[in-house]
Amino acid sequence: MRICYDKLRKLMIDNKMKRCDLIRAAELSEYTATKINKDEPISMDKIMRICQVFHCDIGDVCEIILDEPNVN
């Protein structure tokens, strides 16, 4: 299972928002922004702050991608 922030990246493009703008608006650290760029998990608190910036739901920011079952 992994997380993907493609929806967040699309939101940022649609809102003409750069990485530094998101960091400032959601009060994120550079470290957290790097984790987002690498599609690594971040805390729910930070996801909630991002949702507040865009006035959206968690599902509008990220999605969980399930691993394919290993069928032998």
Side-chain angles (χ1 to χ4, degrees):
M1 180 179 342
R2 62 187 178 89
I3 192 159
C4 178
Y5 297 101
D6 286 347
K7 291 180 177 182
L8 172 58
R9 288 186 265 279
K10 182 168 179 0
L11 275 173
M12 290 173 66
I13 290 168
D14 292 347
N15 287 280
K16 296 177 174 46
M17 183 178 276
K18 296 180 182 177
R19 173 186 160 117
C20 61
D21 299 327
L22 179 64
I23 288 171
R24 194 174 314 113
E27 299 178 4
L28 302 175
S29 67
E30 288 283 339
Y31 178 71
T32 299
T34 298
K35 289 182 81 165
I36 291 169
N37 285 344
K38 293 181 177 182
D39 285 328
E40 295 177 0
I42 61 172
S43 72
M44 185 62 70
D45 175 59
K46 292 173 180 122
I47 292 175
M48 289 169 54
R49 282 191 259 157
I50 292 168
C51 290
Q52 190 171 24
V53 168
F54 291 105
H55 306 285
C56 66
D57 192 27
I58 293 169
D60 299 323
V61 170
C62 61
E63 65 182 324
I64 303 299
I65 299 173
L66 300 174
D67 295 331
E68 294 295 319
N70 204 5
V71 178
N72 289 332

